[in-house]
């Protein structure tokens, strides 16, 4: 490979591609050619850099300069200023929310420098479509070591000693799972990678699976992907073909005598198929529904053969454990939850995206350091940990370390690795309702607790949101939710109640406000709030009137404005627009009061007019 | 494409080492060619091309070549700064192709500063 003076890495993740990174690459290539710099500057796409909301992301090496929100019209400037004259384009640098000064070096941006990259160590650094670049970063070295220098028992031992726990939901020791599958005698065994949804480089998954297959003695593997992720499917297919051409899958891999076939299995976007037994049904061309366990898949899985199912992230950790050893893996994280964890950070934060952090980091550090704190004007209310079926954790527990054990105590889960931050603009009851609605839609219908229970809970939550619930309904919900949690067949029903249980536990006052005062203080539940303008604070700028879709706000310039309650649809646009804190949210009862007062004022005015005449 | 052996894995890794030195910044030596308007006019681009050509020819993988703006001494252009890790950076001035090749071979590879071309050693003080 040529030695270039600059390598430009353009993020080719799903988000940045949607933002136009392919067109930007074309324009850059053209611009570089026009200036006669082809031999000096290399431009290529990389795996997702994780900084998706700021995309398209462009990183220029060796300067380590990160450009955000790059558009086609910025291309000539980047070439002229940075690539020719060596001056970073200040306007495109990442800026910390509170500061105006751009941060030129990627190493100084807190979002990046607080992360510990292991599974994502090549993110933004290599071309996901190039097997050679993967090999250049120690790729397939671990597979070579595992196949040529280690016995299956030795592989299992090092994975077990590392303490790596399944990065999916339950957090079972990966080594233990492999050991059980390896101990069963069977004519054929399978290894499956569950849901390639994380945009890690495809070869990392393939390598992890080869090692796993060798450990348990599997001859066939499947990578289970959702059809809703076309870029990932395309990349995986290309990677599989490259690996096959290099003889890294197929017969006699690396002359070791070990044979392993690996295929992609694309399924529809059924949430329940994240559950391992439902996933197995789906691969066997049956409806994706979970089965009671035992027998566990490690004993009787795909086509009744021993089958190991691990997630993408679990496999992505394997190659480095093999190369660096169990002790190295344990050097980060906690005693019982060693290593790192990938999270999808979202919500009311300044920085969101895909992050990898050491286990045991506190939620506060994730939110404030990596997330850059809450966006201006918002205050923290809760953080949902574990994706759509994770529990909501309030402020007082933010110093809790993120480990499998601690998170479970909070009715939350590590799960799919979602962390969503909720602000004062979110209503806890309707947030819980939203996730339950999702569970109702996604419940496969096999077991009654989940099928019927989730619907009943949804009805009860609807009552709270509509203002027709009583305090007793809270206790009914809590009881029922616990029953559903304890008796559901699979993880879907067992975890679906986390949002309800955790909101009742930590935000009961909000439920009570909804029920007793008919007041949703966040202004989300339309039935339970009244928007009004504080006459003392309103300066009459008219910003709220301009955004009101119903033209319900009126008033003279520089005089306090007024909302016509008969027209207001509680869309909250005015509340989010006002910069002077003049918009207020009152309980439902205020609506009638205000309307009455308005009527009185109107009558008063009319009488006055008549008298004057 | 042929089937790989373990040796092939090592070979591919070696081939790409240079590219990743640039991306990861783990180079032993950084050569900065100053490319302000003055530098470009004085022929800095030729210096850069010569340098990159020679590095590729010799297959050197621990060197980063990069550019920067005007160094402030326009009359001495083309200029280049050789920055060896843990040594103070050395600025060379009034370069041509032959001089930069000598600097590459004697200073960057050989470790001996080419005194006769040196403008200054060390950095300006910044507050």
């Amino acid at each position: 490979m040529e030695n270039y003076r600059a390598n430009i890495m353009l993020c080719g993740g799903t988000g940045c591609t949607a933002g136009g990174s392919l067109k930007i690459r074309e324009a850059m290539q053209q611009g570089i050619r026009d200036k006669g710099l082809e031999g000096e500057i290399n431009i290529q796409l990389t795996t997702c850099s994780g900084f998706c909301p700021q995309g398209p992301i462009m990183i220029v090496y060796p300067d380590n300069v990160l450009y955000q929100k790059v558009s086609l019209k910025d291309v000539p400037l980047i070439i002229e200023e940075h690539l020719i004259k060596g001056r970073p384009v200040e306007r495109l640098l990442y800026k910390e929310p509170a500061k105006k000064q751009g941060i030129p070096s990627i190493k100084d941006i807190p979002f990046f420098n607080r992360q510990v990259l292991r599974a994502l160590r090549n993110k933004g650094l290599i071309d996901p479509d190039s097997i050679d670049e993967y090999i250049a970063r120690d790729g397939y070295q671990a597979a070579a070591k595992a196949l040529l220098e280690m016995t299956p028992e030795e592989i299992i031992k090092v994975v077990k000693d590392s303490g790596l726990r399944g990065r999916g939901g339950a957090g079972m020791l990966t080594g233990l799972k492999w050991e059980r599958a390896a101990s069963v005698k069977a004519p054929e065994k399978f290894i499956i990678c569950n849901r390639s949804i994380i945009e890690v480089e495809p070869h990392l998954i393939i390598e992890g699976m080869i090692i796993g297959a060798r450990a348990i003695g599997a001859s066939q593997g499947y990578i289970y992907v959702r059809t809703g992720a076309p870029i990932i499917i395309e990349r995986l297919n290309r990677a599989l073909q490259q690996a096959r051409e290099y003889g890294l899958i197929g017969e006699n891999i690396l002359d070791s005598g070990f044979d392993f076939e690996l295929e992609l299995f694309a399924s529809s976007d059924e949430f329940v198929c994240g559950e391992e037994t439902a996933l197995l049904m789906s691969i066997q061309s049956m409806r994706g529904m979970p089965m009671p366990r035992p027998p566990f898949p490690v004993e009787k899985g795909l086509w009744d053969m021993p089958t190991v199912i691990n997630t993408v992230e679990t496999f992505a950790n394997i190659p480095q454990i093999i190369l660096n050893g169990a002790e190295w893996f344990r050097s980060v994280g906690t005693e019982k939850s060693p290593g790192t964890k990938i999270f999808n950070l979202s919500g009311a934060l300044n920085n969101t995206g895909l992050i990898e952090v050491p286990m045991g980091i506190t939620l506060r550090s994730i939110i404030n350091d990596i997330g850059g704190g809450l966006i201006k004007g918002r205050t923290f209310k809760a953080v949902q940990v574990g994706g759509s079926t994770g529990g909501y954790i309030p402020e007082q527990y933010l110093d809790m370390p993120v480990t499998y054990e601690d998170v479970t105590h909070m009715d939350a889960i590590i799960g799919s690795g979602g962390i969503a931050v909720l602000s004062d603009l979110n209503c806890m009851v309707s947030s819980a309702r939203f996730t339950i609605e999702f569970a109702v839609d996604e419940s496969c219908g096999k077991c009654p607790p989940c099928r019927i229970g989730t619907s009943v809970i949804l009805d009860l939550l609807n009552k709270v949101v509509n203002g027709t619930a009583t305090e007793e309904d809270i206790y009914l919900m809590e009881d029922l939710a616990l029953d559903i949690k304890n008796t559901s067949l699979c993880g879907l029903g067992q975890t679906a109640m986390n949002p309800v249980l955790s909101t009742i536990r930590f935000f009961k006052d909000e439920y009570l406000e909804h029920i007793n005062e008919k007041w949703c203080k966040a202004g989300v539940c339309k039935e339970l709030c009244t928007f009004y303008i504080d006459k003392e604070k309103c300066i009459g700028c008219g910003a709220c009137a301009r955004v009101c879709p119903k033209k319900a706000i009126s008033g003279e310039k520089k005089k306090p404005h007024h909302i016509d309650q008969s027209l207001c649809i509680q869309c909250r646009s005015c509340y989010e627009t006002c910069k002077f804190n003049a918009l207020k949210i009152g309980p439902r009862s205020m609506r009638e009061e205000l309307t009455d007062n308005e009527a009185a004022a109107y009558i008063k005015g009319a009488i006055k007019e008549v008298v004057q005449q | 494409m042929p089937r790989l052996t373990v040796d092939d894995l090592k070979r591919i890794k070696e081939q790409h080492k240079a590219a990743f030195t640039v991306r990861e910044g783990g180079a032993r030596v950084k050569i900065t060619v100053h490319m302000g308007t003055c530098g470009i006019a004085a022929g800095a681009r030729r210096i850069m091309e010569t340098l990159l050509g020679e590095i590729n020819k010799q297959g050197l993988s621990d060197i980063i070549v990069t550019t920067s703006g005007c160094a402030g001494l326009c009359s001495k252009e083309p200029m280049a700064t050789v920055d060896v890790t843990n040594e103070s950076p050395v600025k060379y001035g009034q370069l041509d192709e032959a001089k930069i090749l000598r600097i590459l071979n004697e200073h960057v590879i050989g470790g001996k500063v080419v005194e006769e071309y040196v403008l200054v050693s060390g950095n300006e003080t910044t507050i």
Side-chain angles (χ1 to χ4, degrees):
Chain A
M1 181 182 263
E2 291 280 298
N3 194 345
Y4 295 99
R5 74 168 162 89
N7 273 257
I8 299 172
M9 300 287 146
L10 196 56
C11 179
T14 303
C16 290
T17 306
S21 55
L22 296 180
K23 280 195 177 140
I24 293 169
R25 179 175 64 162
E26 262 172 47
M28 287 291 290
Q29 282 168 335
Q30 185 61 42
I32 288 169
R33 267 198 301 275
D34 290 349
K35 297 282 178 193
L37 303 171
E38 309 95 298
E40 292 176 26
I41 293 163
N42 171 39
I43 177 156
Q44 66 183 52
L45 291 180
T46 66
T47 42
C48 178
S49 65
F51 212 21
C52 312
Q54 308 298 331
I57 296 285
M58 183 191 282
I59 305 169
V60 183
Y61 293 107
D63 316 6
N64 275 314
V65 170
L66 179 138
Y67 290 131
Q68 60 171 2
K69 295 184 181 162
V70 178
S71 72
L72 267 181
K73 65 180 196 319
D74 300 323
V75 168
L77 195 66
I78 294 172
I79 294 177
E80 194 66 36
E81 281 293 301
H82 191 156
L83 299 180
I84 296 180
K85 295 180 187 153
R87 291 191 290 236
V89 183
E90 176 77 21
R91 181 168 59 80
L92 298 172
L93 295 176
Y94 170 78
K95 292 171 190 68
E96 267 194 285
K99 296 169 192 158
K100 287 210 173 96
Q101 187 77 38
I103 303 175
S105 173
I106 184 169
K107 292 185 174 136
D108 297 328
I109 299 175
F111 178 79
F112 291 102
N113 69 12
R114 295 296 174 98
Q115 296 191 44
V116 175
L117 299 185
R118 284 186 167 181
L120 298 177
R121 66 191 276 265
N122 288 340
K123 80 168 179 181
L125 201 63
I126 73 167
D127 179 354
D129 290 337
S130 163
I131 188 169
D132 283 5
E133 291 212 348
Y134 177 68
I135 292 172
R137 293 273 295 160
D138 293 330
Y140 290 107
Q141 303 282 346
K145 186 176 173 187
L147 295 188
L148 299 167
E149 297 167 27
M150 296 169 87
T151 63
E153 294 74 35
E154 282 168 346
I155 300 173
I156 289 171
K157 183 168 187 309
V158 69
V159 173
K160 228 168 107 179
D161 289 349
S162 76
L164 172 68
R165 299 173 67 168
R167 293 300 193 242
M172 186 184 173
L173 270 178
T174 306
L176 212 60
K177 207 179 204 176
W178 288 14
E179 191 177 51
R180 286 179 61 186
S183 68
V184 182
K185 287 213 164 28
E188 201 175 10
K189 290 178 192 175
F190 297 101
I191 190 156
I192 297 172
C193 175
N194 186 358
R195 300 278 189 130
S196 182
I197 46 171
I198 303 174
E199 294 194 26
V200 298
E201 64 220 285
H203 287 291
L204 193 58
I205 307 171
I206 298 174
E207 186 175 7
M209 290 187 75
I210 294 172
I211 297 166
R214 165 75 171 163
I216 66 163
S219 52
Q220 171 77 48
Y222 293 98
I223 303 177
Y224 191 86
V225 284
R226 298 173 13 185
T227 46
I231 288 186
I232 294 172
I233 293 181
E234 202 180 297
R235 290 218 171 115
L236 275 166
N237 269 325
R238 211 170 298 148
L240 283 172
Q241 194 184 338
Q242 289 170 348
R244 206 164 281 131
E245 279 171 8
Y246 269 175
L248 293 166
I249 43 183
E251 286 177 8
N252 193 17
I253 299 168
L254 293 167
D255 296 330
S256 63
F258 178 67
D259 308 335
F260 178 58
E261 263 310 321
L262 187 54
E263 284 174 46
L264 213 62
F265 187 94
S267 88
S268 59
D269 291 344
E270 292 296 328
F271 183 70
V272 73
C273 290
E275 203 283 333
E276 55 182 14
T277 53
L279 181 153
L280 291 175
M281 300 289 273
S282 157
I283 295 184
Q284 293 172 75
S285 302
M286 283 181 270
R287 187 169 159 189
M289 279 183 161
M291 299 286 284
R293 292 171 299 181
F296 287 93
V298 284
E299 288 142 10
K300 228 176 159 193
L302 197 63
W303 320 114
D304 286 344
M305 294 297 153
T307 305
V308 159
I309 302 161
N310 284 130
T311 56
V312 177
E313 199 184 339
T314 311
F315 282 123
N317 273 299
I318 296 291
Q320 287 182 79
I321 292 176
I322 297 294
L323 275 186
N324 304 324
E327 276 313 302
W328 169 84
F329 187 75
R330 286 185 166 279
S331 64
V332 156
T334 64
E335 174 68 28
K336 283 190 172 166
S337 301
T340 58
K341 176 78 191 85
I342 298 173
F343 286 107
N344 183 1
L345 190 60
S346 65
L349 293 173
N350 283 309
N351 306 326
T352 54
L354 192 70
I355 60 167
E356 183 171 2
V357 290
M359 281 273 189
I361 189 175
T362 62
L363 283 167
R364 199 182 294 281
S365 176
I366 294 179
I367 291 168
N368 290 342
D369 299 335
I370 296 172
L374 270 85
I375 47 180
K376 202 179 161 212
R378 298 276 69 86
T379 51
F380 178 88
K381 190 180 247 181
V383 55
Q384 187 183 26
V385 179
S388 45
T389 56
Y392 294 96
I393 296 172
E395 166 92 40
Q396 65 263 38
Y397 294 105
L398 283 189
D399 290 313
M400 176 192 87
V402 178
T403 65
Y404 286 97
E405 303 77 32
D406 293 287
V407 165
T408 314
H409 287 161
M410 290 287 123
D411 286 333
I413 44 173
I414 293 277
S416 52
I419 294 185
V421 173
L422 272 59
S423 73
D424 52 329
L425 285 183
N426 296 95
C427 159
M428 297 315 296
V429 182
S430 61
S431 297
R433 201 199 77 91
F434 177 77
T435 57
I436 293 301
E437 205 173 23
F438 176 76
V440 170
D441 283 347
E442 294 295 339
S443 174
C444 77
K446 181 164 183 168
C447 72
C450 178
R451 180 182 67 233
I452 303 167
T454 51
S455 292
V456 174
I457 295 270
L458 181 63
D459 286 346
L460 290 169
L461 283 168
N462 278 335
K463 274 172 79 181
V464 180
V465 166
N466 294 335
T468 51
T470 60
E471 269 188 51
E472 254 169 55
D473 288 329
I474 302 181
Y475 302 108
L476 181 59
M477 256 193 291
E478 208 171 5
D479 268 3
L480 187 57
L482 276 173
D483 288 343
I484 296 171
K485 187 174 182 162
N486 292 332
T487 57
S488 284
L489 180 56
C490 80
L492 200 165
Q494 285 159 16
T495 58
M497 292 303 127
N498 282 332
V500 178
L501 288 169
S502 61
T503 46
I504 294 179
R505 180 167 160 199
F506 298 123
F507 299 94
K508 199 181 225 167
D509 47 345
E510 225 166 283
Y511 278 85
L512 292 174
E513 279 162 15
H514 279 69
I515 292 169
N516 296 333
E517 299 172 47
K518 312 286 179 220
W519 192 0
C520 173
K521 285 185 175 168
V524 176
C525 304
K526 293 187 190 310
E527 294 293 322
L528 303 180
C529 60
T530 307
F531 289 88
Y532 66 97
I533 293 171
D534 185 342
K535 300 258 184 296
E536 309 270 293
K537 287 194 168 155
C538 180
I539 62 150
C541 69
C544 53
R546 280 193 292 279
V547 296
C548 180
K550 285 286 173 187
K551 304 211 179 325
I553 304 178
S554 57
E556 276 177 57
K557 251 190 189 166
K558 296 191 179 172
K559 296 254 171 67
H561 280 45
H562 169 80
I563 301 177
D564 184 343
Q565 295 299 333
S566 63
L567 293 175
C568 179
I569 53 163
Q570 288 83 36
C571 71
R572 211 172 62 169
S573 304
C574 52
Y575 183 80
E576 286 168 36
T577 305
C578 183
K579 288 196 166 60
F580 302 94
N581 212 9
L583 266 134
K584 303 284 178 199
I585 298 168
R588 176 166 71 181
S589 56
M590 261 188 98
R591 224 180 284 176
E592 284 99 49
E593 277 169 35
L594 283 174
T595 322
D596 289 348
N597 288 342
E598 277 160 24
Y602 176 78
I603 293 167
K604 241 186 214 169
I607 294 171
K608 215 172 176 186
E609 245 171 62
V610 171
V611 170
Q612 273 170 359
Q613 276 170 4
Chain B
M1 229 182 288
R3 289 176 52 84
L4 293 194
T5 62
V6 179
D7 291 334
D8 292 329
L9 287 177
K10 288 193 185 115
R11 182 179 49 78
I12 293 171
K13 193 180 166 186
E14 267 320 298
Q15 276 171 3
H16 287 73
K17 207 172 156 193
F20 284 97
T21 309
V22 175
R23 285 180 217 172
E24 291 166 73
R28 184 179 62 85
V29 188
K30 185 169 112 180
I31 309 175
T32 310
V33 181
H34 298 273
M35 287 239 197
T37 312
C38 46
I40 295 172
R45 180 146 307 286
R46 250 189 1 263
I47 302 291
M48 161 78 74
E49 282 163 8
T50 313
L51 202 53
L52 281 174
E54 187 64 19
I55 288 170
N56 281 332
K57 205 169 97 192
Q58 296 196 25
L60 305 172
S61 63
D62 55 353
I63 300 167
I64 292 180
V65 179
T66 181
T67 61
S68 80
C70 173
L73 256 172
C74 309
S75 58
K76 303 286 184 201
E77 294 285 1
M79 287 169 57
T81 306
V82 175
D83 195 346
V84 181
T85 312
N86 298 329
E87 283 175 33
S88 105
V90 179
K91 278 194 172 62
Y92 293 102
Q94 290 177 319
L95 297 173
D96 59 28
E97 281 124 315
K99 284 182 185 171
I100 195 72
L101 286 182
R102 223 185 114 191
I103 292 167
L104 179 70
N105 287 320
E106 289 183 21
H107 184 179
V108 178
I109 301 171
K112 200 173 154 292
V113 178
V114 189
E115 298 286 352
E116 45 196 296
Y117 306 149
V118 172
L119 268 182
V120 65
S121 176
N123 267 333
E124 299 95 327
T125 315
T126 47
I127 306 169

